[in-house]
Amino acid sequence: MARPQIYPKADAKSQWFQTRYPGATMNANVGVIHTTEGTDWPSYGGGASAPTLTAKPDFKAKKLLFRQHFPIDKSARALVNLRGGTETNTLNAFQIELTGTCDPSTHAKWTKAGYAHIYWPEAPDWALRGLGELFAWLDKEHGIPLKCSVKFLPYPKSYGSAGGQRLSARAWQGYYGWLGHQHVPENSHGDPGNFPIAKVLAYAKGTTPPKTPTPSKPTSRIAALSSAVKPGGRHSQVRDLQQLLIKAGYGPIKGAVTDFYGVNTQGAVARFHDRNPKYKSIGLVRDPRIGPSGFVALQKMAGRR
């Protein structure tokens, strides 16, 4: 009997990308949780960096709205998947992006500005119940186990791999259950922070959820620039660069966020240099390449410490 490929509560028309990006056929047995770091439906570059599903809160109705982008058993595209390296997108991974943030500084900024949003480490119970229903359906129809054996670190400690949370290629290949973007090899992103996975799994199982622990105090998260981050290149840190540019007021960046340093990202970097000429390469009228010192300055402008 064929397994159902569309979540019954999902809109599979508004942003359906399967026709443009057919992907690889697989049998989903692991779930990867992301956060969008935005408050609206992302464009995903027309599907180039889309997950399987996106969940967006409807605050008035106190429920989650879902948009599905690919069938459950087709590979999504929200992870870094290096050619010749560890299979990530294509290794039986169902992926969900949660609209909102895992970043405490972004949460504070949006709260101050009056933006309605979910800070996922402290998500309301109605949102966690909505995810629990999805997880229960995925367990029943696709066998993604309602278990998690990894620790979700708070953002920004979860960024990169210094926190020890990133799985090895072998551990990733043998993992079944739920984890976050912060755990996937070949990736550097720290979402979804200290996500309350135990609560979601409890709701999915119909048991009493545990109390939410007190959030950990944020730590320093100024990151060094990778030499691979350059115009025309691809690198996971480009996504971070794009988000920083947008947060600091140098956006919008059409098609963001992706790992590709394209013309739109170059234009935003050039705008950054126009306003901060001391970080510009000497002799260039228009400088589209971010440098190490400029990248540090940009992070501080976006609120990092």
Side-chain angles (χ1 to χ4, degrees):
M1 182 178 176
R3 306 197 296 186
Q5 294 301 306
I6 305 297
Y7 181 47
K9 293 189 175 183
D11 167 8
K13 295 181 179 179
S14 296
Q15 288 184 295
W16 183 252
F17 301 129
Q18 174 65 15
T19 304
R20 183 177 297 180
Y21 296 102
T25 299
M26 61 181 194
N27 291 314
N29 53 32
V30 62
V32 180
I33 304 166
H34 305 252
T35 51
T36 66
E37 300 307 305
T39 58
D40 205 351
W41 301 107
S43 67
Y44 298 122
S49 59
T52 315
L53 262 75
T54 300
K56 180 176 179 290
D58 179 338
F59 292 102
K60 185 176 181 180
K62 290 189 176 182
K63 68 177 184 179
L64 292 178
L65 305 177
F66 295 93
R67 284 187 181 179
Q68 188 160 345
H69 313 297
F70 301 103
I72 305 296
D73 287 329
K74 287 287 186 178
S75 58
R77 304 175 63 87
L79 294 168
V80 173
N81 197 141
L82 301 179
R83 182 171 295 183
T86 303
E87 294 299 321
T88 58
N89 286 318
T90 54
L91 191 69
N92 302 342
F94 167 90
Q95 300 180 52
I96 181 167
E97 288 268 9
L98 307 177
T99 304
T101 184
C102 69
D103 182 346
S105 65
T106 299
H107 171 49
K109 181 179 177 181
W110 288 353
T111 300
K112 184 176 181 180
Y115 297 155
H117 67 283
I118 287 182
Y119 174 53
W120 283 98
E122 300 175 4
D125 282 350
W126 58 262
L128 300 179
R129 288 192 192 96
L131 289 179
E133 290 179 10
L134 168 65
F135 283 26
W137 182 84
L138 288 166
D139 176 46
K140 177 183 177 182
E141 301 293 348
H142 289 267
I144 299 180
L146 294 175
K147 64 180 183 178
C148 173
S149 59
V150 295
K151 184 177 180 180
F152 283 75
L153 300 183
Y155 193 88
K157 184 179 179 180
S158 57
Y159 188 86
S161 57
Q165 83 285 6
R166 198 79 51 183
L167 298 182
S168 67
R170 183 174 181 179
W172 163 252
Q173 291 165 356
Y175 191 88
Y176 299 96
W178 286 91
L179 39 64
H181 195 175
Q182 63 178 267
H183 302 106
V184 183
E186 296 185 357
N187 289 250
S188 62
H189 281 64
D191 52 312
N194 51 332
F195 180 78
I197 186 65
K199 270 195 168 186
V200 177
L201 293 177
Y203 282 130
K205 297 173 185 177
T207 58
T208 302
K211 293 183 178 180
T212 303
T214 303
S216 300
K217 185 178 179 180
T219 56
S220 175
R221 56 193 175 95
I222 297 294
L225 181 69
S226 169
S227 60
V229 177
K230 55 187 177 181
R234 286 188 180 276
H235 190 271
S236 59
Q237 199 177 49
V238 174
R239 294 171 65 98
D240 192 35
L241 171 62
Q242 293 170 346
Q243 291 171 332
L244 290 167
L245 287 163
I246 293 169
K247 287 181 182 179
Y250 299 103
I253 302 175
K254 186 177 180 181
V257 291
T258 71
D259 62 357
F260 179 56
Y261 200 135
V263 294
N264 296 319
T265 302
Q266 294 174 45
V269 171
R271 290 192 291 274
F272 164 77
H273 284 133
D274 287 343
R275 298 183 208 172
N276 304 277
K278 68 179 180 179
Y279 301 112
K280 183 185 295 187
S281 297
I282 297 174
L284 289 183
V285 175
R286 180 182 182 275
D287 186 2
R289 179 167 183 160
I290 194 73
S293 60
F295 187 59
V296 169
L298 177 62
Q299 291 177 77
K300 292 179 179 179
M301 291 176 192
R304 292 187 178 176
R305 295 292 182 267

